[in-house]
Every structure is written in structure tokens, then in C-alpha cells.
Amino acid sequence: SSGINAEYGGHIERATDFLVGFSATLTSGYIWKQRLVKSQAIKPEIASSGLTLVHYNACYCVERIIQKVLPKVSCAFRTAGMSPTHIVKRWLTACFVNILSWNEIC
């Protein structure tokens, strides 16, 4: 909230008003994970996964695509006792902390 406070030039009331209004929007759930966890607006398995809602949705979509388009690869993951979610989570985390070079990805 100190960043929000600085954004509003030190006006604590304006920053608080923004945060209260923002917390009521659906967008806040993607950016502000704790709001969703505390409001119980998401399934307990999502909340306990440790993933943000964006990461969870991306992992879910990739896993479903692999099951549909590449069933043998999906089967190999299951046989190995691993989920594509682990790989997608690591890739997304690496991209967001700039570990992977975009030249290597593309």
C-alpha cells in the first residue's frame, strides 16, 4: 500500500478510497490473491495451491490442451507421476522474474 500511497501524493484517504473500491472489482482477484483467499470466492484447492489466479488458469488451460491435442504426452506425464502444471508454473515464474531469455523462448 505504500506504492499506492506514493501514487496519490501521500494522500492516505485517497489511497484508502482507491483500495476499498478496487478490492470490490473482479480484477482485484487476479492481482490481489489474498483478497480472494480471505473472501472464499475461489475453491479451496486453488487457494491452497500457492498459485495466483492467473497462474492457476494458465496451468489449467495448458493441461487441458495437452490432454486434448497430445494425449500420448498427457499419458506420459501421468505415468511419470508428474503434471504439466509443474512445468508451466516454473516457466511462468521464470518468465516473470526474467530468468528465461525471450530469444530462447521464441
Side-chain angles (χ1 to χ4, degrees):
S1 77
S2 62
I4 296 293
N5 190 20
E7 181 69 29
Y8 285 96
H11 297 281
I12 294 172
E13 290 175 18
R14 286 178 59 199
T16 302
D17 289 344
F18 167 77
L19 289 172
V20 168
F22 179 68
S23 69
T25 66
L26 291 175
T27 307
S28 68
Y30 284 92
I31 298 170
W32 194 357
K33 180 184 171 191
Q34 288 304 316
R35 178 192 113 16
L36 286 180
V37 172
K38 289 183 179 180
S39 72
Q40 298 175 346
I42 59 174
K43 296 177 185 176
E45 61 267 16
I46 297 172
S48 66
S49 72
L51 297 171
T52 65
L53 200 51
V54 172
H55 282 125
Y56 184 86
N57 287 338
C59 292
Y60 175 82
C61 289
V62 168
E63 197 160 337
R64 296 299 168 249
I65 290 169
I66 289 173
Q67 286 177 348
K68 184 78 172 170
V69 178
L70 302 166
K72 290 181 181 179
V73 172
S74 179
C75 183
F77 272 112
R78 277 191 306 240
T79 302
M82 191 172 179
S83 168
T85 299
H86 299 293
I87 295 169
V88 174
K89 179 183 174 188
R90 288 183 58 101
W91 182 79
L92 287 171
T93 303
C95 286
F96 288 120
V97 295
N98 296 323
I99 293 173
L100 293 178
S101 164
W102 282 107
N103 293 332
E104 293 175 18
I105 296 170
C106 298

